[in-house]
Amino acid sequence: MSAPLVRRLALIGIGLIGSSLARVARKEGLAEKIVISTRSAETLRRAEELGLGDRYCLDAGEAVEDADLVIVSVPVGASGAVAKWIAPSLKPGAILTDAGSTKRSVIEQMAPHVPEGVHFIPGHPIAGTEQSGPDAGFAELFRNRWCILTPPEGTDPAAIARLTAFWEGCGSTVDTMDAEHHDLVLAIVSHLPHIIAYNIVGTADDLEAVTKSEVIKYSASGFRDFTRLAASDPTMWRDVCLYNKDAILEMLARFSEDLAALQRAIRWSDGDKLFDIFTRTREIRRSIVEAGQDTAVPNFGRDMAQAEAGE
Amino acid sequence: MSAPLVRRLALIGIGLIGSSLARVARKEGLAEKIVISTRSAETLRRAEELGLGDRYCLDAGEAVEDADLVIVSVPVGASGAVAKWIAPSLKPGAILTDAGSTKRSVIEQMAPHVPEGVHFIPGHPIAGTEQSGPDAGFAELFRNRWCILTPPEGTDPAAIARLTAFWEGCGSTVDTMDAEHHDLVLAIVSHLPHIIAYNIVGTADDLEAVTKSEVIKYSASGFRDFTRLAASDPTMWRDVCLYNKDAILEMLARFSEDLAALQRAIRWSDGDKLFDIFTRTREIRRSIVEAGQDTAVPNFGRDMAQAEAGE
């Protein structure tokens, strides 16, 4: 790449996503200058210690001045307030995007504040870990992952192309779809799994007959997988539940219906039905591994990771 | 170790668990001679090709002749038939154990067949992967994992000590408890997680509004974790559901009750309650990592595994 894609990149929010963006933008030379803003003075100081940007502002408005690309990565419930704050400082022609896990509510919150001449293109990188904060980010987070854009009708194609090129520079492949469909897809592939994981860990925690120490000791038999998702950022997930309520409730209803049928098969010892249910699901795993979205190494290769980390 | 712990080890069933036992027994010199038996001629041939034992018998009765330690690792529904088959050939003083995921039902099925003078000590190594068959095993499977023994009252302590030493030789730490408690503990740490994982993958597979290709592409946002558990051996899990029915139904009832409460908090936009639910679960994750039962590396270190496997 000869010249950076972006002259001035403003990152509002410097958690796992924001700080990974800062790192990959620096590493791949995607931006000439990186300006970082976040609500907490302490977190901003930490970002500075880590050398994530070129400038650091507590004032989000100041941070977006003269920026060509503004990426908001905050809990989705805060999107409206951020948009209102930065709107007067956005320069004409700038691209404003976000990384929130819900899209309809982000559009409802942000769109009314976006000034004429600014390209508002909501986005969502499908990548993450169970960790949060500026220390948790890494440049490779988006590599081989998808990024979904949900541009409103009539968005300037050239702006979409520029944002697409930025995400491709981060290692991602870009898909576009409408916000409503995004929220439905994410409800099943991300929101429901997290909610279920939080729930099962809570159920285990409440048992009187099984001690916490037993749950921990024997967790390698399945339970530990759920604890990873259930260790994700509570603020982020509270907001996801509040702001994608309809799609999540729809998926929860379907899940509970299916679980009732499975429970009935267990109660009535319907071995054939159980065998069928437990067989059809293998195919999806195979497809995910073939699509490069997970490792084929048993147990996610965690033993390898554990050995390498000297744990 | 100067002399092997076991003169003659008979392994009935040579899937993930049996073949891992064969490999670790060989590697650590835990047995002088390893005899392998399994129901399918094809699987037995494969075990021989892999050089897992010293002798291979389709007849399980023949395999246990003169064995000091017999380990049955078959789907729990087959335990009774295996016990009946091998009982007449077990030598006095031999230890008979198993690796089944349920213990009360295994005892009910096997105990009536066990001849006088044979030490029957049911067991369950808390280790596994989503893969199955003789090729899936590896010598390190049991390292740093727990193995639970559920010896009936009056079992010879010397026999328990010998079996404990064998599992310690495999790298495990041994716990003993009664069978009923085992079944309750495993229902929450293993059986419920697998059932829930199978269920959510099935729910996703049934959606009309979200395509299978979308589920696969965006699975890195949470869903893929569940597909690993849901790729486990269907026969094994059918049997677990059939043979630990009471404890599983109890855990499912609690889980559904908790999920209804969580769903209600979402419907009524009770952000504080959601935040509380999503906060308490982090502590368990930390404890599991501290106890060495999972890696602290984000995403289970699967990216590392993927890179190393050249995927």
Side-chain angles (χ1 to χ4, degrees), chain A residues 1-189:
Chain A
M1 218 168 298
S2 43
L5 281 163
V6 178
R7 222 180 39 74
R8 196 183 177 98
L9 169 67
L11 298 171
I12 314 300
I14 197 72
L16 170 67
I17 298 295
S19 73
S20 295
L21 283 170
R23 288 174 171 99
V24 66
R26 175 70 49 97
K27 188 175 170 205
E28 302 294 335
L30 303 176
E32 228 172 271
K33 195 159 184 179
I34 300 171
V35 187
I36 291 171
S37 178
T38 188
R39 208 179 38 164
S40 135
E42 196 189 329
T43 309
L44 194 64
R45 231 181 352 260
R46 183 63 192 147
E48 192 165 1
E49 279 168 20
L50 293 167
L52 295 177
D54 302 298
R55 239 189 97 197
Y56 306 87
C57 316
L58 266 176
D59 183 336
E62 197 186 320
V64 306
E65 272 168 23
D66 202 33
D68 312 280
L69 175 60
V70 177
I71 307 181
V72 177
S73 357
V74 301
V76 289
S79 319
V82 167
K84 192 176 170 188
W85 190 355
I86 62 175
S89 314
L90 290 167
K91 85 167 172 194
I95 294 173
L96 170 63
T97 188
D98 77 311
S101 306
T102 70
K103 295 273 62 82
R104 270 191 313 169
S105 79
V106 163
I107 294 172
E108 276 165 29
Q109 291 178 73
M110 295 183 74
H113 301 288
V114 179
E116 192 84 14
V118 168
H119 307 288
F120 175 46
I121 310 174
H124 181 200
I126 311 300
T129 78
E130 67 276 25
Q131 304 188 350
S132 36
D135 286 274
F138 51 100
E140 296 75 22
L141 180 63
F142 309 107
R143 200 163 58 191
N144 296 328
R145 296 288 164 257
W146 291 85
C147 179
I148 297 174
L149 302 181
T150 64
E153 251 185 288
T155 305
D156 177 16
I160 298 178
R162 268 189 293 152
L163 184 55
T164 299
F166 177 84
W167 278 111
E168 287 172 352
C170 298
S172 295
T173 312
V174 173
D175 252 357
T176 61
M177 60 178 72
D178 69 55
E180 186 158 355
H181 189 62
H182 167 278
D183 288 359
L184 201 65
V185 172
L186 270 289
I188 186 69
V189 297

Side-chain angles (χ1 to χ4, degrees), chain B residues 13-182:
Chain B
I14 196 72
L16 171 68
I17 299 295
S19 73
S20 294
L21 283 169
R23 288 176 171 96
V24 67
R26 174 68 51 93
K27 188 176 169 201
E28 301 296 333
L30 303 175
E32 228 172 271
K33 196 162 183 177
I34 300 172
V35 187
I36 290 171
S37 178
T38 187
R39 206 180 40 163
S40 132
E42 197 190 328
T43 309
L44 193 63
R45 231 181 352 258
R46 182 63 192 147
E48 192 165 0
E49 279 167 20
L50 293 167
L52 295 177
D54 302 297
R55 236 188 101 198
Y56 306 87
C57 316
L58 267 177
D59 183 338
E62 198 186 317
V64 304
E65 274 169 21
D66 202 32
D68 311 279
L69 175 60
V70 176
I71 307 181
V72 176
S73 358
V74 301
V76 289
S79 318
V82 167
K84 191 175 169 191
W85 190 357
I86 63 176
S89 312
L90 290 167
K91 84 167 173 194
I95 294 174
L96 171 63
T97 187
D98 78 310
S101 306
T102 71
K103 297 271 63 81
R104 270 192 313 169
S105 79
V106 163
I107 294 172
E108 275 165 31
Q109 290 178 72
M110 294 183 74
H113 300 289
V114 180
E116 192 84 16
V118 169
H119 307 286
F120 176 45
I121 310 174
H124 182 201
I126 311 299
T129 78
E130 67 277 25
Q131 305 189 349
S132 37
D135 285 274
F138 51 100
E140 296 75 23
L141 180 64
F142 309 107
R143 198 164 60 191
N144 295 326
R145 296 288 164 256
W146 291 85
C147 179
I148 299 175
L149 302 181
T150 63
E153 253 186 287
T155 305
D156 177 16
I160 298 177
R162 268 189 293 153
L163 184 56
T164 299
F166 177 83
W167 278 111
E168 288 172 352
C170 298
S172 294
T173 313
V174 173
D175 251 358
T176 61
M177 60 179 71
D178 69 53
E180 187 158 355
H181 189 64
H182 166 278

Side-chain angles (χ1 to χ4, degrees), chain A residues 202-234:
Chain A
T203 302
D205 203 28
D206 280 341
L207 292 173
E208 318 81 23
V210 178
T211 67
K212 198 168 294 192
S213 128
E214 287 174 320
V215 168
I216 291 160
K217 278 160 78 173
Y218 309 130
S219 62
S221 52
F223 184 74
R224 61 177 174 172
D225 284 25
F226 290 74
T227 62
R228 186 185 79 78
L229 291 180
S232 305
D233 183 31

